[in-house]
Amino acid sequence: MGVIEALAIIILILAIFILIYYFILNNSKSFNGFNFNVPNVNSEKEEMSGSGTNSVDIDFDDDEDENIEINKESNSMSKFKDMINDYDMSSFNTDAFSQKIDAFLDEKSDQLIEDWSLATQNDLDTLERRWASANESIEDLEKRFDEYSEFTNERLESLDKRIEALEEDKDN
């Protein structure tokens, strides 16, 4: 292994460690910043209906943080719902909005057609007329070619007959 390959491997390893570090840094809620909390253990001896059992209550510090976070989220959601409920929905009419969009498209249709190189019905009609004209022209050309080829074939046959006649006269 060459020096360049070893250097490339070291750089890749460093990049992986940096990515892991930033991942842990950005997701510190799930990892709790690698500060592992030791649970508080409260043990109480209670006798329940004649049997001696130990009751162990484990409290984590994170439990309180989660409850606070859940309360914050529910408060923000309720604020968002209040904001939506306060908004006057009567003025939000989809028909009026659709009409505004249609008016805008009608106003800007020529520019949109030009910018996006769209085909209109007029363009399609023009193309259909040109295709029909070209089709008729091709049919006319085929007819003329057939007529010319018949005429040419007749002329060639007459020339062949004349050549044969001349050859026979020459041989005799």
Side-chain angles (χ1 to χ4, degrees), residues 117-166:
S117 302
L118 300 176
T120 62
Q121 187 64 38
N122 292 338
D123 295 336
L124 293 176
D125 291 341
T126 303
L127 285 175
E128 286 177 359
R129 283 194 301 268
R130 290 177 66 189
W131 179 80
S133 173
N135 193 20
E136 289 176 9
S137 297
I138 290 172
E139 289 174 359
D140 289 343
L141 286 174
E142 286 177 350
K143 287 179 187 176
R144 289 176 56 197
F145 177 76
D146 290 341
E147 291 173 2
Y148 182 73
S149 63
E150 287 177 21
F151 174 74
T152 306
N153 287 337
E154 290 174 4
R155 295 279 301 199
L156 288 174
E157 287 176 15
S158 72
L159 287 174
D160 283 339
K161 287 179 185 176
R162 287 175 56 193
I163 290 173
E164 286 176 11
L166 287 173

Side-chain angles (χ1 to χ4, degrees), residues 3 7 20 22 25 43 47 60 65 72 77 79 82-83 87 89 95 103 105 108 119 132 137 142 146 148 157 170:
V3 176
L7 184 63
I20 291 171
Y22 280 112
L25 186 67
S43 62
E47 290 188 26
F60 289 97
D65 294 338
K72 285 181 184 177
M77 283 301 290
K79 288 179 184 177
D82 290 340
M83 286 175 45
Y87 185 73
M89 294 300 281
D95 292 335
L105 290 176
K108 301 291 184 177
S137 297
E142 286 177 350
D146 290 341
Y148 182 73
E157 287 176 15
K170 185 179 175 183

Side-chain angles (χ1 to χ4, degrees), residues 105-120 123:
L105 290 176
D106 289 341
E107 181 181 314
K108 301 291 184 177
S109 63
D110 292 336
Q111 184 179 359
L112 289 172
I113 290 169
E114 185 178 326
D115 291 346
W116 292 354
S117 302
L118 300 176
T120 62
D123 295 336

Side-chain angles (χ1 to χ4, degrees), residues 51-63:
S51 65
T53 60
N54 291 339
S55 172
V56 177
D57 186 20
I58 300 175
D59 294 328
F60 289 97
D61 294 334
D62 292 345
D63 291 342

